Amino acid sequence: MLYAGISWHQDYYQLAVIGPDGQRVIAPGGYYASHNVHRLVARLRELELTEPVTIAVESTNGTLDGRLMAAGLRVHRADPGLLPERPAFGAVQAEDIARACLRYEREIVPLQRHRGTQTGREGELAGWIAGAADADRAQAASGRLFHRGAGDRREVALTFDDGPLPPYTEMVLDILARYELRATFFCCGIHVRGNAAELVRMREEGHAIGNHTWSHPFLPELTRAQVAEQVIRTGDAIAEAAGTGRPTLFRPPYAGRTPQVLEQLAGLGVTTILGDVAPDDWAPREPDAVARDVLAGVRPGSVVLLNDGGGERSATLAALPRIIEGLLDDGYAFARVDDMALRAEQARLVHTV
């Protein structure tokens, strides 16, 4: 058995592999997140041909597991209690994660492709989110959180998370251009700098660009300093790559939030964007099922959560024209989520005067 640890850093993933005796099999090496992940996957698959490999990421690395599992690799999660303390930005070193695989083999969590990076933590996540209900209402009342439109217009907002990721982001943009629609893209910072052309195209074609953190972590488990680094660095990277100001739209990964996180996000100058229709297209699903769930769930003012990154997205690409045509046939118009949120805020101000 070999033990592989994968960590994330500013623009790259680091891989380290050790044997059952703790000796290095592969010295730590980097793979750029924007264009070298296929080489990382190929290296791991090559190792698997010689002997089984236990692969682990740590819990703040939510951008990679889908691609690894789609390649047939067995991926695990090493939780904070098994690892050294994380820095303010970046993961612990890949070799530390590999050694945790060896030392705590029974405690690292095997991930399931239909459950994702937070496999086994669903109850905990739901509890954190439920505990933020009062804060949600307070932030919505102040215009700092948006869940869905008021329902007074027959319109819907399409949003896409986790990119930019070639070739899927470009193909999503092609479909939107074909129908002359505007959408909103929530981008992860680790993918941004190497894929600036996609962000420039988003801007030039009239789409909104939002912040989806750097590495797709579950925010409630981070320190305030770590949350700030995730949000600020991603905002700066998007502004530089797209040629825009720092985005004010922010979507927390996994919708993860607490009252404290929401208060900090508001202090960082962003509006938290949630949604009400999520067909889980990030998991292995058939295009018909994705389209069916969206069309059944949409109501006037809905915000639809789809994905252009984080993994293989052919099902989303196949479902998207069916979703668009079904909604058009049902009399819906399409809006950017920032325009929808602005109208909601204007209506709120009118009612409070």
Side-chain angles (χ1 to χ4, degrees):
M1 176 69 72
L2 300 178
Y3 300 90
I6 303 175
S7 57
W8 66 270
H9 302 277
Q10 178 158 314
D11 292 320
Y12 67 95
Y13 300 108
Q14 184 186 69
L15 170 68
V17 182
I18 62 173
D21 58 358
Q23 297 300 305
R24 286 181 175 177
V25 174
I26 297 178
Y31 297 81
Y32 281 105
S34 60
H35 58 272
N36 270 352
V37 171
H38 65 286
R39 294 182 182 174
L40 171 60
V41 172
R43 188 71 181 99
L44 290 167
R45 293 187 69 180
E46 179 183 282
L47 288 171
E48 280 263 328
L49 294 176
T50 60
E51 57 185 304
V53 183
T54 296
I55 303 166
V57 297
E58 55 107 306
S59 60
T60 66
N61 186 352
T63 60
L64 190 60
D65 59 285
R67 280 179 277 178
L68 297 175
M69 288 189 281
L73 297 167
R74 296 173 298 115
V75 186
H76 300 70
R77 185 185 71 245
D79 287 328
L82 309 179
L83 298 169
E85 184 176 351
R86 279 193 298 260
F89 184 72
V92 302
Q93 294 299 307
E95 195 161 277
D96 289 325
I97 300 173
R99 296 194 181 284
C101 285
L102 172 61
R103 189 175 302 117
Y104 305 108
E105 190 167 4
R106 295 185 179 181
E107 296 177 57
I108 59 174
V109 180
L111 302 184
Q112 298 177 23
R113 196 174 168 200
H114 68 283
R115 296 171 74 182
T117 314
Q118 305 299 337
T119 296
R121 302 183 68 193
E122 292 88 349
E124 178 185 2
L125 305 188
W128 283 113
I129 292 169
D134 289 343
D136 284 355
R137 287 187 284 271
Q139 292 287 347
S142 68
R144 284 298 187 180
L145 182 145
F146 182 73
H147 183 254
R148 52 162 294 131
D152 56 342
R153 291 171 175 252
R154 199 165 185 80
E155 66 179 6
V156 60
L158 296 179
T159 67
F160 298 89
D161 290 1
D162 300 349
L165 177 64
Y168 305 109
T169 301
E170 185 174 2
M171 296 168 77
V172 167
L173 289 166
D174 288 343
I175 293 170
L176 296 173
R178 186 192 319 159
Y179 291 95
E180 299 183 345
L181 303 182
R182 305 292 177 265
T184 305
F185 290 83
F186 289 93
C187 299
C188 289
I190 197 167
H191 299 143
V192 164
R193 296 189 183 193
N195 296 302
E198 282 85 349
L199 275 82
V200 170
R201 183 178 174 188
M202 291 173 195
R203 172 179 59 79
E204 290 179 345
E205 296 184 359
H207 303 290
I209 305 174
N211 183 326
H212 198 41
T213 71
W214 195 273
S215 68
H216 207 279
F218 181 59
L219 294 178
E221 77 172 16
L222 303 187
T223 66
R224 288 183 67 87
Q226 289 166 345
V227 170
E229 290 286 325
Q230 289 271 343
V231 175
I232 294 170
R233 285 180 183 251
T234 303
D236 288 344
I238 290 171
E240 180 181 352
T244 63
R246 184 186 289 174
T248 58
L249 304 178
F250 177 84
R251 174 167 283 160
Y254 318 105
R257 58 201 188 274
T258 62
Q260 293 75 24
V261 167
L262 289 172
E263 176 271 330
Q264 184 179 3
L265 293 173
L268 291 170
V270 297
T271 299
T272 298
I273 305 294
L274 303 175
D276 65 317
V277 179
D280 292 343
D281 64 319
W282 53 267
R285 302 200 70 197
E286 292 298 320
D288 285 345
V290 173
R292 182 188 64 240
D293 286 357
V294 172
L295 295 174
V298 163
R299 300 291 182 271
S302 281
V303 175
V304 180
L305 286 77
L306 296 167
N307 290 266
D308 65 313
E312 200 275 336
R313 293 291 169 252
S314 59
T316 302
L317 292 169
L320 186 55
R322 306 177 201 183
I323 292 168
I324 292 170
E325 291 175 11
L327 292 171
L328 288 172
D329 289 345
D330 204 20
Y332 279 93
F334 292 83
R336 295 182 357 169
V337 77
D338 55 337
D339 293 332
M340 193 181 283
L342 178 60
R343 284 193 289 273
E345 175 64 6
Q346 290 171 338
R348 183 187 70 82
L349 292 174
V350 168
H351 288 123
T352 57
V353 171

